[in-house]
Structure formats: C-alpha cells, structure tokens
Amino acid sequence: MIPEQREAMDEIVGKIRSGRMTRRTFLERAVAIGLSSTAAVSLLEACGGTTNTTGGNGATTNVTWQSEHDASGTYQSLVDTFNKLNNGVHVTYTNGPTDTGQLLTIFTTMLRARSNSYDVMSMDIIWPPEFGANGWTAPISTTQWPTSERANYLPGPIQGCTYNGQLWAAPLRTDVGLIYYRTDLIPTPPNSWNDLVSMAKSVSPSKVKYGYLWQGAQYEGLVCDFVEVLYGYGGNVLDPANPKSVTVNSPAAQQALAEMVSWVGTISPAAVTTFKEEDARTSWQNGDAAFMRNWPYAYSLGQDPTSSKIVGKYDVHPMLYGGSNTVGHSNIGGWQLGINAYSKVTDAAWTFVHYMLSSAAQTSLATGASTLSTLESIYTDPTVLAKVPFFAKVPDIVKQALPRPVSPFYPDISNAIQQRIHDALTKASTVPAALSALQSDLQAIVSK
Ligand code: GLC
C-alpha cells in the first residue's frame, strides 16, 4: 500500500471508529482506495463498524466543532442543550486556544491536508476572505439561511463573512474593544487617553497596583489595541479610499504609538508587552488595576464571585480618543461559524450552526458569556439587559467601531504591525524608526 493509500485508510478507520462516517461511505471509500469489497466488509467489522449514522430511523450524525477559547463554559452548555434535542445530530465540542493565531494554525494545517477532523470551525472576523479565496468553507446559501431571516442580524458581521458575493460563514457573535473601569475608584470614566492616564496615576499605585491593563504581546490582539489608539488620534494604517496607499507613518500615528510606549512600566506593568486578553483579565479580576482594555467576554467572568474579587465594582465605557479628536473607535472583532468544505456532514453541521444563530442560543451567549449577539433583537430584550446592562450602550459603540485594515494581504499586514509595534513597546526601536519601518513593510506588502 502506498503512503497515500495508508493515510486515506487511517482516516476512514479513524472516522468509522469514532462514529463519524456511515457504513456505506466507509465501504465506498475503502473500495475506492483499492480494497476488494470482501476485504472492505471484513475491515468494517474489525472496526466495530456498526456505529451510528446508518441512515435508518433514529440515526445520529456526529458533528465536531472546534471553537475559539470560551472561558465561561457557555459553548459547552449550548452544545449539551443542542444534543438533548435528539434531532439526529450530535455535536462534539472542543474548546480552543486563547490566541487566535494558534487557532488559525490548527485550521490551516487541517484544511491544507483536506482533512475534516472538525466539521464546524469558529472563525475570527479577519479570516473569511482567506477561507473564501481558498474554498475552505462550504458557502451558506439563501435556501439554508433565507434572506428574510438574515435581515434580523447585524449587517456588519454578515458583511465580514462575505467574500466574492458569497457567505462563507455564519456570524455567531461580534466583538468591540471596551474600556473597563473600577467604579469604586473612578467616579466618572475618562473620555480621552489623557484623562485615563491622569486618573490611572491618581489611584495607582496608592490604591491599586496598576493603572491600566491591555494587550501588548506580539500577536493579533496587539493589532487591535494599536489600531484603537491610532484611530482615536485620527490616524489610519491604509488610506480607506485607496488600500494600496499606506498611511501609517503619520503625525497621528507618532502620537498614538508614543502614547502607548509611555504606558509601559508606568501606568501599565512592564510585563504588559507579554499580555494577551486572558493575562489582562486575570490580573483585572484579581483587583489589580483601575482600568483595562478588553472585549465584552470579560464582563460576565468578572461578575463570578468564585473567581473575581471585583464583583459589582466595575463598568464599561466606549473607546477613548486623543489629540484634537473627540470620538473614539473600538476595533471590530468577532467570531463566525464556518462549515469545513471537506466535511462529509455539511447538512448536519448546518443544523447545529443554525441552532447557534437562534434567539435561544443568542440569548444564552449574551447572558452567559456576555458576548455580543449578531441577532439585533437581543439588545432590547429586557431579560438580557437585566443580566448584562452594558448591552444598552453597545449599539452606539458598534456604530463608531472600525475594522482592522481591510486587504487581501491582511495576514502579512498583521504580522508586520505585530512586529514593528512590539519593537517600539519593548524599546527595541524608537517610535519614529518603528513607524518608518512599518510604512516600508506595508508598502511592499500592498504593492505585491
Ligand atoms: C477577539 C476578537 C478577534 C481578535 C482577537 C485578538 O477574540 O473577537 O476578532 O482577532 O480577539 O486577540
């Protein structure tokens, strides 16, 4: 047997054993790989291949879902609820890594091998163009998800899932950067970065260890934190009217980056240059800081008395601004559910994805994980507002929110930003040197 046949054989054996392939498909694939039908039947029996998915009455199709990180347990409980529906689809759920870049590596490795270890993939809002261009997800048709139903969901995330006129994933939840502040220490929240710095200094280290926690590690999250400060100063990475024109080395960017550098080791711990979302959240919940920049998911976790020392002592505020600007802009994040194009159970996968878009699931996500629904009606639902009152502020924040640079070269753009901005934060380079190097990096990338 040549290595490719061995690999294909291992794959179908693995699937039939885990109940993720029908007997019929197994037999068809085994014969296609080169086994005689008698040998295929014997192998099936040896694998105990009398599993589910036989297609008869009461049969169950197994679907696997690899999500992004969920520290709240809400995804698992939604999967449990779904599985109890006994609707012929059973979902096996795997919680994901805390770094979106690591999750992307898991998926790209799987997809380049045309594997279907995961039928449903949680996809970051920055991925649909890449996945669409590679045909890595099964597009969602209007027969599956009718236009009349789509109209009930936020247009931005749907737009983010669209590439070349097709919808490559279903928008599960959106995300915006928020300023968390301690209401017991800061009576009136800041509006500008200057306000935040002076308020942070007035309470830290006297009353609280740190002034401000954010995400300064060299990874995707740093791009989000950087563009928020940059946009708040009126700067941009690329010219919105001409994405071939790089505008990052501007006076606004000089001010924005100098501002961020000035926080490191003063109002923020020196180790902030290694912080991702969960590092910031853990320290925040421990009561270490007056302010934190994070996504909405940190709201409900901070209200859990078993793990948080600041229950009832904080609120969230829209993103801040600097220089002569008067409006802040959160960065838009968010997560979608894409169906692996190599999955053999795309219909069953859609049944699950559709359930996750339902009002019941969106309500659970909002109340259990405080993540931002894509279903618009959730923001005016009194049950939701009682549990997560900050949802009332969200529609206005979403209106001002801006994406990371939109470009077919986004992965390279992101890597360059991560590296150059991190160099400035760790003082491996000066602010002017970092921005001028970033300008040349990006110019080379967008001119490809
Ligand atoms: C959040 C956002 C996602 C972003 C990531 C960066 O998960 O939803 O869009 O890429 O944070 O760490």
Side-chain angles (χ1 to χ4, degrees):
M1 201 176 263
I2 60 169
E4 280 82 351
Q5 281 174 311
R6 162 69 49 209
E7 229 174 75
M9 196 62 79
D10 287 348
E11 191 189 332
I12 62 171
V13 165
K15 282 198 183 139
I16 195 79
R17 286 206 165 119
S18 61
R20 299 186 52 241
M21 182 174 269
T22 61
R23 287 165 57 84
R24 190 156 132 212
T25 310
F26 179 92
L27 293 172
E28 281 167 1
R29 298 271 296 270
V31 169
I33 293 166
L35 254 59
S36 69
S37 26
T38 328
V41 170
S42 313
L43 181 61
L44 176 63
E45 273 156 15
C47 293
T50 48
T51 65
N52 54 28
T53 61
T54 52
N57 280 344
T60 300
T61 303
N62 287 294
V63 168
T64 48
W65 172 31
Q66 167 70 68
S67 78
E68 80 282 22
H69 187 69
D70 171 30
S72 73
T74 310
Y75 282 167
Q76 182 64 62
S77 76
L78 277 168
V79 166
D80 293 344
T81 309
F82 176 82
N83 287 339
K84 282 190 199 127
L85 296 175
N86 275 326
N87 63 359
V89 180
H90 183 275
V91 173
T92 307
Y93 160 72
T94 310
N95 199 1
T98 50
D99 180 334
T100 175
Q102 286 167 11
L103 186 60
L104 182 60
T105 306
I106 295 176
F107 289 146
T108 49
T109 309
M110 167 179 85
L111 294 162
R112 289 198 175 112
R114 298 172 173 249
S115 156
N116 54 8
S117 336
Y118 300 113
D119 301 302
V120 177
M121 301 175 280
S122 280
M123 287 167 51
D124 196 333
I125 191 65
I126 51 188
W127 303 344
E130 186 187 358
F131 280 48
N134 284 299
W136 281 340
T137 58
I140 296 165
S141 68
T142 44
T143 321
Q144 282 172 305
W145 201 30
T147 316
S148 55
E149 215 182 292
R150 292 181 195 196
N152 300 323
Y153 294 77
L154 295 172
I158 293 189
Q159 186 54 42
C161 292
T162 307
Y163 173 77
N164 253 349
Q166 275 186 309
L167 193 68
W168 297 92
L172 178 66
R173 64 180 183 92
T174 186
D175 237 355
V176 286
L178 298 172
I179 297 294
Y180 286 74
Y181 68 101
R182 285 276 297 276
T183 44
D184 57 332
L185 300 169
I186 307 290
T188 318
N191 288 318
S192 69
W193 291 112
N194 274 349
D195 295 344
L196 178 135
V197 172
S198 55
M199 291 178 191
K201 286 184 176 156
S202 73
V203 290
S204 105
S206 54
K207 295 190 180 145
V208 65
K209 209 161 155 194
Y210 306 122
Y212 181 43
L213 302 172
W214 45 286
Q215 295 79 43
Q218 188 176 334
Y219 80 121
E220 182 62 34
L222 176 57
V223 180
C224 305
D225 283 46
F226 169 64
V227 297
E228 283 172 347
V229 185
L230 178 68
Y231 297 159
Y233 272 91
N236 233 316
V237 176
L238 306 178
D239 179 349
N242 173 14
K244 291 255 171 218
S245 160
V246 179
T247 50
V248 79
N249 194 7
S250 61
Q254 302 276 345
Q255 282 181 292
L257 187 54
E259 173 81 56
M260 292 176 83
V261 171
S262 78
W263 302 334
V264 180
T266 58
I267 59 166
S268 305
V272 78
T273 58
T274 63
F275 274 26
K276 297 181 185 174
E277 285 84 357
E278 284 293 83
D279 306 297
R281 180 180 72 83
T282 313
S283 181
W284 164 255
Q285 283 190 193
N286 196 38
D288 291 347
F291 296 102
M292 170 177 73
R293 183 270 175 209
N294 217 324
W295 308 97
Y297 85 98
Y299 187 93
S300 73
L301 293 163
Q303 299 290 20
D304 174 0
T306 61
S307 58
S308 170
K309 293 186 183 157
I310 51 163
V311 176
K313 291 188 182 163
Y314 63 91
D315 202 352
V316 298
H317 188 72
M319 199 43 66
L320 310 182
Y321 49 81
S324 54
N325 252 23
T326 50
V327 190
H329 303 278
S330 296
N331 175 236
I332 303 170
W335 290 87
Q336 347 299 319
L337 294 177
I339 298 175
N340 184 343
Y342 306 110
S343 167
K344 296 284 179 280
V345 292
T346 49
D347 287 349
W350 171 253
T351 304
F352 172 64
V353 171
H354 197 210
Y355 161 80
M356 292 297 279
L357 296 174
S358 68
S359 173
Q362 292 278 311
T363 305
S364 300
L365 280 171
T367 55
S370 61
T371 51
L372 304 186
S373 313
T374 49
L375 181 60
E376 263 181 300
S377 56
I378 298 290
Y379 295 96
T380 46
D381 179 336
T383 337
V384 171
L385 291 172
K387 194 81 198 279
V388 278
F390 80 93
F391 264 48
K393 301 180 188 172
V394 167
D396 282 345
I397 297 179
V398 166
K399 267 183 220 139
Q400 295 296 346
L402 293 171
R404 280 158 266 177
V406 177
S407 158
F409 309 113
Y410 183 74
D412 292 341
I413 292 180
S414 170
N415 283 334
I417 298 178
Q418 292 173 33
Q419 189 200 323
R420 299 301 184 181
I421 300 304
H422 195 257
D423 282 352
L425 296 179
T426 55
K427 302 212 166 66
S429 68
T430 61
V431 167
L435 288 174
S436 135
L438 183 56
Q439 175 83 19
S440 332
D441 291 349
L442 297 185
Q443 199 60 66
I445 295 169
V446 299
S447 317
K448 268 186 209 158

